[in-house]
Amino acid sequence: MDGARLSSDELKALVRTVPDFPQPGIQFRDITTLIGHSSGLASSVAHLADLARAGGAQKIAGMEARGFIFGAAVAVQLGIGFLPVRKPGKLPIEAMGIDYDLEYGTDRLEVDPGAIDELEDVVIVDDLIATGGTALATVHLLRQAGAIVDQALFVIDLPDLGGAQKLREAGVEVRALMQFDGE
Ligand code: AMP
């Protein structure tokens, strides 16, 4: 990486907060400004890669779409494979999927089961954990596919929404580069 690695506090200052998006009352933590900065993306990836390496990652899984940005870059840094966790109907093969509840309605995530080796240590990477619904569904899906999933990494944690705690209760160690309290 060219130049000094930015600290967590410096990275946090690069996140743009947009009130009332996508609906009233939500403080949207926008990483567009972080990844657009000359060393914001590289520094975030370097921090995440250190954590994934220490956790013994054999593969990185990232969730569509922002998890692809960070997760794929972490996989490159570690010289390991990347597994895209996709929205439904995107994979051209018979996918393995999981339905999960949203605040209103349900959603679904899918993976290529052939892309996961039995007992492979897969570390999850995403931009942000809020309620944890997406990450928890990913944990269950990857475990069903045969992976060992005991670590999840995020750029941003919103601890008051309880997602990180839910993951810990499911036996997953959760680390984030920064957190925003109160949301
Ligand atoms: P959740 O399943 O509630 O943990 O949220 C899953 C995804 O929704 C995250 O990966 C984020 O991309 C997005 N998200 C949820 N809340 C926010 C927020 N306040 N700001 C930005 N993105 C969010």
Side-chain angles (χ1 to χ4, degrees):
M1 186 174 79
D2 291 338
R5 189 194 289 195
L6 299 180
S7 68
S8 292
D9 283 347
E10 289 168 323
L11 292 172
K12 187 173 177 180
L14 292 173
V15 174
R16 172 169 59 194
T17 297
V18 182
D20 300 320
F21 182 88
Q23 56 195 58
I26 304 284
Q27 297 269 67
F28 192 81
R29 307 298 180 177
D30 184 15
I31 53 130
T32 310
T33 39
L34 170 73
I35 63 176
H37 181 273
S38 55
S39 49
L41 176 58
S43 296
S44 303
V45 168
H47 285 293
L48 293 168
D50 283 349
L51 294 169
R53 191 180 293 110
Q58 295 177 302
K59 186 164 281 171
I60 302 294
M63 291 84 112
E64 189 166 352
R66 279 166 278 167
F68 291 0
I69 299 168
F70 296 98
V74 169
V76 170
Q77 287 240 332
L78 267 58
I80 59 178
F82 176 73
L83 174 74
V85 180
R86 307 244 30 198
K87 292 184 172 155
K90 302 280 188 182
L91 289 166
I93 41 85
E94 195 171 332
M96 179 181 255
I98 186 167
D99 297 302
Y100 64 102
D101 290 330
L102 297 174
E103 196 176 347
Y104 303 105
T106 61
D107 212 341
R108 183 175 171 82
L109 292 171
E110 295 182 345
V111 291
D112 170 5
I116 299 164
D117 292 333
E118 192 69 21
L119 300 183
E120 189 172 33
D121 203 316
V122 180
V123 171
I124 292 172
V125 173
D126 203 0
D127 68 324
L128 181 146
I129 181 158
T131 66
T134 311
L136 202 57
T138 302
V139 170
H140 292 318
L141 179 58
L142 297 179
R143 285 178 175 169
Q144 276 166 27
I148 294 174
V149 187
D150 52 20
Q151 194 181 21
L153 306 175
F154 302 90
V155 178
I156 302 168
D157 180 17
L158 306 182
D160 297 335
L161 295 182
Q165 186 54 31
K166 273 188 222 154
L167 252 61
R168 292 184 182 112
E169 285 161 14
V172 180
E173 185 191 343
V174 179
R175 305 287 299 274
L177 304 187
M178 65 187 78
Q179 60 183 49
F180 288 89
D181 296 316
E183 292 300 329

